[in-house]
PDB file of all heavy atoms in Angstrom:
ATOM      1  N   HIS A   1     -26.854 274.934 -91.644  1.00 92.00           N
ATOM      2  CA  HIS A   1     -25.781 275.927 -91.786  1.00 92.00           C
ATOM      3  C   HIS A   1     -24.880 275.678 -93.001  1.00 92.00           C
ATOM      4  O   HIS A   1     -23.860 276.337 -93.158  1.00 92.00           O
ATOM      5  CB  HIS A   1     -24.937 276.055 -90.518  1.00 92.00           C
ATOM      6  CG  HIS A   1     -25.731 276.343 -89.290  1.00 92.00           C
ATOM      7  ND1 HIS A   1     -26.448 277.508 -89.120  1.00 92.00           N
ATOM      8  CD2 HIS A   1     -25.947 275.606 -88.181  1.00 92.00           C
ATOM      9  CE1 HIS A   1     -27.064 277.487 -87.956  1.00 92.00           C
ATOM     10  NE2 HIS A   1     -26.779 276.333 -87.367  1.00 92.00           N
ATOM     11  N   PHE A   2     -25.213 274.719 -93.841  1.00 95.00           N
ATOM     12  CA  PHE A   2     -24.470 274.465 -95.069  1.00 95.00           C
ATOM     13  C   PHE A   2     -25.391 274.716 -96.255  1.00 95.00           C
ATOM     14  O   PHE A   2     -26.607 274.613 -96.142  1.00 95.00           O
ATOM     15  CB  PHE A   2     -23.959 273.014 -95.120  1.00 95.00           C
ATOM     16  CG  PHE A   2     -22.734 272.778 -94.289  1.00 95.00           C
ATOM     17  CD1 PHE A   2     -22.840 272.480 -92.939  1.00 95.00           C
ATOM     18  CD2 PHE A   2     -21.470 272.858 -94.858  1.00 95.00           C
ATOM     19  CE1 PHE A   2     -21.719 272.259 -92.164  1.00 95.00           C
ATOM     20  CE2 PHE A   2     -20.340 272.635 -94.089  1.00 95.00           C
ATOM     21  CZ  PHE A   2     -20.464 272.340 -92.740  1.00 95.00           C
ATOM     22  N   ASN A   3     -24.805 275.056 -97.397  1.00 94.00           N
ATOM     23  CA  ASN A   3     -25.562 275.254 -98.636  1.00 94.00           C
ATOM     24  C   ASN A   3     -25.585 274.006 -99.507  1.00 94.00           C
ATOM     25  O   ASN A   3     -26.345 273.944-100.462  1.00 94.00           O
ATOM     26  CB  ASN A   3     -24.961 276.398 -99.459  1.00 94.00           C
ATOM     27  CG  ASN A   3     -25.081 277.723 -98.760  1.00 94.00           C
ATOM     28  OD1 ASN A   3     -26.075 278.007 -98.118  1.00 94.00           O
ATOM     29  ND2 ASN A   3     -24.049 278.540 -98.875  1.00 94.00           N
ATOM     30  N   ASN A   4     -24.680 273.068 -99.209  1.00 97.00           N
ATOM     31  CA  ASN A   4     -24.486 271.937-100.103  1.00 97.00           C
ATOM     32  C   ASN A   4     -24.368 270.631 -99.339  1.00 97.00           C
ATOM     33  O   ASN A   4     -24.194 270.630 -98.128  1.00 97.00           O
ATOM     34  CB  ASN A   4     -23.229 272.168-100.947  1.00 97.00           C
ATOM     35  CG  ASN A   4     -23.406 273.358-101.865  1.00 97.00           C
ATOM     36  OD1 ASN A   4     -24.271 273.321-102.733  1.00 97.00           O
ATOM     37  ND2 ASN A   4     -22.625 274.407-101.688  1.00 97.00           N
ATOM     38  N   ASN A   5     -24.466 269.546-100.071  1.00 97.00           N
ATOM     39  CA  ASN A   5     -24.361 268.215 -99.474  1.00 97.00           C
ATOM     40  C   ASN A   5     -23.002 267.594 -99.818  1.00 97.00           C
ATOM     41  O   ASN A   5     -22.179 268.200-100.513  1.00 97.00           O
ATOM     42  CB  ASN A   5     -25.524 267.334 -99.937  1.00 97.00           C
ATOM     43  CG  ASN A   5     -25.620 267.197-101.443  1.00 97.00           C
ATOM     44  OD1 ASN A   5     -24.623 267.234-102.154  1.00 97.00           O
ATOM     45  ND2 ASN A   5     -26.830 267.033-101.939  1.00 97.00           N
ATOM     46  N   LEU A   6     -22.785 266.386 -99.340  1.00 97.00           N
ATOM     47  CA  LEU A   6     -21.524 265.694 -99.583  1.00 97.00           C
ATOM     48  C   LEU A   6     -21.310 265.379-101.060  1.00 97.00           C
ATOM     49  O   LEU A   6     -20.189 265.458-101.566  1.00 97.00           O
ATOM     50  CB  LEU A   6     -21.464 264.420 -98.740  1.00 97.00           C
ATOM     51  CG  LEU A   6     -21.393 264.678 -97.232  1.00 97.00           C
ATOM     52  CD1 LEU A   6     -21.792 263.432 -96.460  1.00 97.00           C
ATOM     53  CD2 LEU A   6     -20.028 265.166 -96.820  1.00 97.00           C
ATOM     54  N   HIS A   7     -22.378 265.053-101.754  1.00 98.00           N
ATOM     55  CA  HIS A   7     -22.299 264.777-103.198  1.00 98.00           C
ATOM     56  C   HIS A   7     -21.764 266.017-103.924  1.00 98.00           C
ATOM     57  O   HIS A   7     -20.864 265.927-104.771  1.00 98.00           O
ATOM     58  CB  HIS A   7     -23.686 264.387-103.704  1.00 98.00           C
ATOM     59  CG  HIS A   7     -23.698 263.770-105.060  1.00 98.00           C
ATOM     60  ND1 HIS A   7     -24.573 262.778-105.402  1.00 98.00           N
ATOM     61  CD2 HIS A   7     -22.971 263.991-106.176  1.00 98.00           C
ATOM     62  CE1 HIS A   7     -24.386 262.427-106.662  1.00 98.00           C
ATOM     63  NE2 HIS A   7     -23.413 263.162-107.150  1.00 98.00           N
ATOM     64  N   TRP A   8     -22.311 267.172-103.570  1.00 98.00           N
ATOM     65  CA  TRP A   8     -21.843 268.420-104.189  1.00 98.00           C
ATOM     66  C   TRP A   8     -20.377 268.669-103.848  1.00 98.00           C
ATOM     67  O   TRP A   8     -19.594 269.073-104.705  1.00 98.00           O
ATOM     68  CB  TRP A   8     -22.699 269.606-103.735  1.00 98.00           C
ATOM     69  CG  TRP A   8     -22.280 270.885-104.391  1.00 98.00           C
ATOM     70  CD1 TRP A   8     -22.741 271.386-105.563  1.00 98.00           C
ATOM     71  CD2 TRP A   8     -21.296 271.820-103.919  1.00 98.00           C
ATOM     72  NE1 TRP A   8     -22.103 272.577-105.858  1.00 98.00           N
ATOM     73  CE2 TRP A   8     -21.215 272.856-104.856  1.00 98.00           C
ATOM     74  CE3 TRP A   8     -20.479 271.877-102.796  1.00 98.00           C
ATOM     75  CZ2 TRP A   8     -20.346 273.943-104.701  1.00 98.00           C
ATOM     76  CZ3 TRP A   8     -19.607 272.947-102.640  1.00 98.00           C
ATOM     77  CH2 TRP A   8     -19.553 273.968-103.593  1.00 98.00           C
ATOM     78  N   GLN A   9     -20.004 268.440-102.611  1.00 98.00           N
ATOM     79  CA  GLN A   9     -18.629 268.707-102.180  1.00 98.00           C
ATOM     80  C   GLN A   9     -17.615 267.947-103.035  1.00 98.00           C
ATOM     81  O   GLN A   9     -16.624 268.528-103.495  1.00 98.00           O
ATOM     82  CB  GLN A   9     -18.444 268.326-100.705  1.00 98.00           C
ATOM     83  CG  GLN A   9     -19.188 269.203 -99.724  1.00 98.00           C
ATOM     84  CD  GLN A   9     -18.558 270.566 -99.528  1.00 98.00           C
ATOM     85  OE1 GLN A   9     -17.354 270.759 -99.700  1.00 98.00           O
ATOM     86  NE2 GLN A   9     -19.376 271.537 -99.156  1.00 98.00           N
ATOM     87  N   ILE A  10     -17.852 266.647-103.250  1.00 98.00           N
ATOM     88  CA  ILE A  10     -16.860 265.879-104.011  1.00 98.00           C
ATOM     89  C   ILE A  10     -16.870 266.273-105.489  1.00 98.00           C
ATOM     90  O   ILE A  10     -15.822 266.347-106.122  1.00 98.00           O
ATOM     91  CB  ILE A  10     -16.999 264.359-103.816  1.00 98.00           C
ATOM     92  CG1 ILE A  10     -18.272 263.798-104.423  1.00 98.00           C
ATOM     93  CG2 ILE A  10     -16.856 263.982-102.351  1.00 98.00           C
ATOM     94  CD1 ILE A  10     -18.298 262.269-104.518  1.00 98.00           C
ATOM     95  N   GLY A  11     -18.050 266.555-106.031  1.00 98.00           N
ATOM     96  CA  GLY A  11     -18.121 267.005-107.419  1.00 98.00           C
ATOM     97  C   GLY A  11     -17.463 268.355-107.603  1.00 98.00           C
ATOM     98  O   GLY A  11     -16.792 268.606-108.609  1.00 98.00           O
ATOM     99  N   HIS A  12     -17.617 269.219-106.615  1.00 98.00           N
ATOM    100  CA  HIS A  12     -17.027 270.557-106.673  1.00 98.00           C
ATOM    101  C   HIS A  12     -15.499 270.483-106.677  1.00 98.00           C
ATOM    102  O   HIS A  12     -14.838 271.166-107.467  1.00 98.00           O
ATOM    103  CB  HIS A  12     -17.528 271.390-105.487  1.00 98.00           C
ATOM    104  CG  HIS A  12     -16.945 272.755-105.425  1.00 98.00           C
ATOM    105  ND1 HIS A  12     -17.287 273.750-106.314  1.00 98.00           N
ATOM    106  CD2 HIS A  12     -16.032 273.286-104.570  1.00 98.00           C
ATOM    107  CE1 HIS A  12     -16.604 274.853-106.006  1.00 98.00           C
ATOM    108  NE2 HIS A  12     -15.838 274.588-104.952  1.00 98.00           N
ATOM    109  N   VAL A  13     -14.932 269.668-105.799  1.00 98.00           N
ATOM    110  CA  VAL A  13     -13.473 269.517-105.778  1.00 98.00           C
ATOM    111  C   VAL A  13     -12.984 269.010-107.135  1.00 98.00           C
ATOM    112  O   VAL A  13     -12.013 269.543-107.689  1.00 98.00           O
ATOM    113  CB  VAL A  13     -13.034 268.574-104.636  1.00 98.00           C
ATOM    114  CG1 VAL A  13     -11.566 268.170-104.793  1.00 98.00           C
ATOM    115  CG2 VAL A  13     -13.267 269.225-103.278  1.00 98.00           C
ATOM    116  N   LEU A  14     -13.643 268.031-107.672  1.00 98.00           N
ATOM    117  CA  LEU A  14     -13.265 267.473-108.970  1.00 98.00           C
ATOM    118  C   LEU A  14     -13.309 268.534-110.063  1.00 98.00           C
ATOM    119  O   LEU A  14     -12.342 268.739-110.805  1.00 98.00           O
ATOM    120  CB  LEU A  14     -14.193 266.306-109.322  1.00 98.00           C
ATOM    121  CG  LEU A  14     -13.965 265.640-110.678  1.00 98.00           C
ATOM    122  CD1 LEU A  14     -12.655 264.866-110.688  1.00 98.00           C
ATOM    123  CD2 LEU A  14     -15.135 264.729-111.017  1.00 98.00           C
ATOM    124  N   VAL A  15     -14.434 269.229-110.157  1.00 97.00           N
ATOM    125  CA  VAL A  15     -14.634 270.211-111.233  1.00 97.00           C
ATOM    126  C   VAL A  15     -13.698 271.408-111.088  1.00 97.00           C
ATOM    127  O   VAL A  15     -13.091 271.849-112.063  1.00 97.00           O
ATOM    128  CB  VAL A  15     -16.115 270.661-111.278  1.00 97.00           C
ATOM    129  CG1 VAL A  15     -16.296 271.912-112.125  1.00 97.00           C
ATOM    130  CG2 VAL A  15     -16.976 269.526-111.809  1.00 97.00           C
ATOM    131  N   MET A  16     -13.568 271.939-109.889  1.00 97.00           N
ATOM    132  CA  MET A  16     -12.726 273.118-109.712  1.00 97.00           C
ATOM    133  C   MET A  16     -11.251 272.796-109.938  1.00 97.00           C
ATOM    134  O   MET A  16     -10.532 273.606-110.534  1.00 97.00           O
ATOM    135  CB  MET A  16     -12.952 273.734-108.328  1.00 97.00           C
ATOM    136  CG  MET A  16     -14.336 274.339-108.158  1.00 97.00           C
ATOM    137  SD  MET A  16     -14.831 275.482-109.487  1.00 97.00           S
ATOM    138  CE  MET A  16     -13.587 276.747-109.332  1.00 97.00           C
ATOM    139  N   THR A  17     -10.804 271.642-109.504  1.00 97.00           N
ATOM    140  CA  THR A  17      -9.420 271.246-109.777  1.00 97.00           C
ATOM    141  C   THR A  17      -9.198 271.164-111.285  1.00 97.00           C
ATOM    142  O   THR A  17      -8.210 271.671-111.810  1.00 97.00           O
ATOM    143  CB  THR A  17      -9.089 269.902-109.095  1.00 97.00           C
ATOM    144  OG1 THR A  17      -9.259 270.049-107.688  1.00 97.00           O
ATOM    145  CG2 THR A  17      -7.670 269.462-109.411  1.00 97.00           C
ATOM    146  N   GLU A  18     -10.139 270.557-111.964  1.00 96.00           N
ATOM    147  CA  GLU A  18     -10.032 270.414-113.420  1.00 96.00           C
ATOM    148  C   GLU A  18     -10.023 271.779-114.106  1.00 96.00           C
ATOM    149  O   GLU A  18      -9.197 272.041-114.986  1.00 96.00           O
ATOM    150  CB  GLU A  18     -11.217 269.575-113.920  1.00 96.00           C
ATOM    151  CG  GLU A  18     -11.072 269.071-115.309  1.00 96.00           C
ATOM    152  CD  GLU A  18     -10.216 267.826-115.425  1.00 96.00           C
ATOM    153  OE1 GLU A  18      -9.839 267.223-114.407  1.00 96.00           O
ATOM    154  OE2 GLU A  18      -9.926 267.446-116.571  1.00 96.00           O
ATOM    155  N   GLN A  19     -10.948 272.655-113.700  1.00 94.00           N
ATOM    156  CA  GLN A  19     -11.037 273.972-114.333  1.00 94.00           C
ATOM    157  C   GLN A  19      -9.800 274.819-114.067  1.00 94.00           C
ATOM    158  O   GLN A  19      -9.324 275.515-114.957  1.00 94.00           O
ATOM    159  CB  GLN A  19     -12.298 274.701-113.872  1.00 94.00           C
ATOM    160  CG  GLN A  19     -13.562 274.114-114.454  1.00 94.00           C
ATOM    161  CD  GLN A  19     -14.827 274.830-114.002  1.00 94.00           C
ATOM    162  OE1 GLN A  19     -14.813 275.671-113.120  1.00 94.00           O
ATOM    163  NE2 GLN A  19     -15.936 274.464-114.613  1.00 94.00           N
ATOM    164  N   LEU A  20      -9.292 274.736-112.854  1.00 94.00           N
ATOM    165  CA  LEU A  20      -8.093 275.511-112.544  1.00 94.00           C
ATOM    166  C   LEU A  20      -6.881 274.979-113.297  1.00 94.00           C
ATOM    167  O   LEU A  20      -6.222 275.718-114.028  1.00 94.00           O
ATOM    168  CB  LEU A  20      -7.806 275.478-111.038  1.00 94.00           C
ATOM    169  CG  LEU A  20      -8.730 276.278-110.148  1.00 94.00           C
ATOM    170  CD1 LEU A  20      -8.426 276.001-108.679  1.00 94.00           C
ATOM    171  CD2 LEU A  20      -8.598 277.767-110.439  1.00 94.00           C
ATOM    172  N   VAL A  21      -6.592 273.714-113.111  1.00 95.00           N
ATOM    173  CA  VAL A  21      -5.348 273.162-113.629  1.00 95.00           C
ATOM    174  C   VAL A  21      -5.330 273.108-115.159  1.00 95.00           C
ATOM    175  O   VAL A  21      -4.367 273.532-115.780  1.00 95.00           O
ATOM    176  CB  VAL A  21      -5.075 271.771-113.014  1.00 95.00           C
ATOM    177  CG1 VAL A  21      -3.864 271.116-113.649  1.00 95.00           C
ATOM    178  CG2 VAL A  21      -4.890 271.887-111.502  1.00 95.00           C
ATOM    179  N   PHE A  22      -6.398 272.626-115.751  1.00 93.00           N
ATOM    180  CA  PHE A  22      -6.394 272.501-117.212  1.00 93.00           C
ATOM    181  C   PHE A  22      -6.948 273.742-117.898  1.00 93.00           C
ATOM    182  O   PHE A  22      -6.521 274.092-118.990  1.00 93.00           O
ATOM    183  CB  PHE A  22      -7.156 271.244-117.636  1.00 93.00           C
ATOM    184  CG  PHE A  22      -6.459 269.980-117.212  1.00 93.00           C
ATOM    185  CD1 PHE A  22      -6.895 269.278-116.099  1.00 93.00           C
ATOM    186  CD2 PHE A  22      -5.357 269.516-117.896  1.00 93.00           C
ATOM    187  CE1 PHE A  22      -6.243 268.123-115.684  1.00 93.00           C
ATOM    188  CE2 PHE A  22      -4.687 268.364-117.495  1.00 93.00           C
ATOM    189  CZ  PHE A  22      -5.132 267.667-116.379  1.00 93.00           C
ATOM    190  N   GLY A  23      -7.885 274.408-117.249  1.00 90.00           N
ATOM    191  CA  GLY A  23      -8.483 275.596-117.847  1.00 90.00           C
ATOM    192  C   GLY A  23      -7.528 276.770-117.985  1.00 90.00           C
ATOM    193  O   GLY A  23      -7.605 277.531-118.941  1.00 90.00           O
ATOM    194  N   LEU A  24      -6.597 276.907-117.048  1.00 86.00           N
ATOM    195  CA  LEU A  24      -5.676 278.041-117.095  1.00 86.00           C
ATOM    196  C   LEU A  24      -4.540 277.872-118.091  1.00 86.00           C
ATOM    197  O   LEU A  24      -3.720 278.756-118.261  1.00 86.00           O
ATOM    198  CB  LEU A  24      -5.126 278.346-115.699  1.00 86.00           C
ATOM    199  CG  LEU A  24      -6.155 278.945-114.738  1.00 86.00           C
ATOM    200  CD1 LEU A  24      -5.529 279.223-113.385  1.00 86.00           C
ATOM    201  CD2 LEU A  24      -6.785 280.210-115.297  1.00 86.00           C
ATOM    202  N   ILE A  25      -4.503 276.724-118.759  1.00 87.00           N
ATOM    203  CA  ILE A  25      -3.553 276.563-119.872  1.00 87.00           C
ATOM    204  C   ILE A  25      -4.320 276.315-121.169  1.00 87.00           C
ATOM    205  O   ILE A  25      -3.756 275.875-122.154  1.00 87.00           O
ATOM    206  CB  ILE A  25      -2.538 275.435-119.614  1.00 87.00           C
ATOM    207  CG1 ILE A  25      -3.232 274.088-119.449  1.00 87.00           C
ATOM    208  CG2 ILE A  25      -1.635 275.759-118.438  1.00 87.00           C
ATOM    209  CD1 ILE A  25      -2.306 272.903-119.639  1.00 87.00           C
ATOM    210  N   ASN A  26      -5.623 276.597-121.115  1.00 83.00           N
ATOM    211  CA  ASN A  26      -6.483 276.448-122.295  1.00 83.00           C
ATOM    212  C   ASN A  26      -6.471 275.035-122.857  1.00 83.00           C
ATOM    213  O   ASN A  26      -6.520 274.837-124.060  1.00 83.00           O
ATOM    214  CB  ASN A  26      -6.103 277.450-123.387  1.00 83.00           C
ATOM    215  CG  ASN A  26      -6.365 278.861-122.959  1.00 83.00           C
ATOM    216  OD1 ASN A  26      -7.365 279.151-122.313  1.00 83.00           O
ATOM    217  ND2 ASN A  26      -5.450 279.763-123.294  1.00 83.00           N
ATOM    218  N   GLN A  27      -6.425 274.050-121.976  1.00 84.00           N
ATOM    219  CA  GLN A  27      -6.512 272.659-122.406  1.00 84.00           C
ATOM    220  C   GLN A  27      -7.881 272.137-122.029  1.00 84.00           C
ATOM    221  O   GLN A  27      -8.401 272.439-120.954  1.00 84.00           O
ATOM    222  CB  GLN A  27      -5.430 271.810-121.732  1.00 84.00           C
ATOM    223  CG  GLN A  27      -5.411 270.401-122.254  1.00 84.00           C
ATOM    224  CD  GLN A  27      -4.238 269.603-121.689  1.00 84.00           C
ATOM    225  OE1 GLN A  27      -3.437 270.099-120.928  1.00 84.00           O
ATOM    226  NE2 GLN A  27      -4.175 268.347-122.085  1.00 84.00           N
TER     227      GLN A  27
END
């Protein structure tokens, strides 16, 4: 019932936080 594993989950949190916080100020 899941599409992803635990490895993906932690990488996703890392990447999305980075893209949101730094990406939205063009840094």
Side-chain angles (χ1 to χ4, degrees):
H1 306 296
F2 281 86
N3 295 322
N4 295 297
N5 57 31
L6 293 161
H7 194 145
W8 182 90
Q9 292 285 333
I10 68 167
H12 178 72
V13 168
L14 178 70
V15 166
M16 292 309 298
T17 300
E18 194 81 9
Q19 288 180 351
L20 288 173
V21 174
F22 293 101
L24 289 180
I25 61 161
N26 294 321
Q27 185 174 359

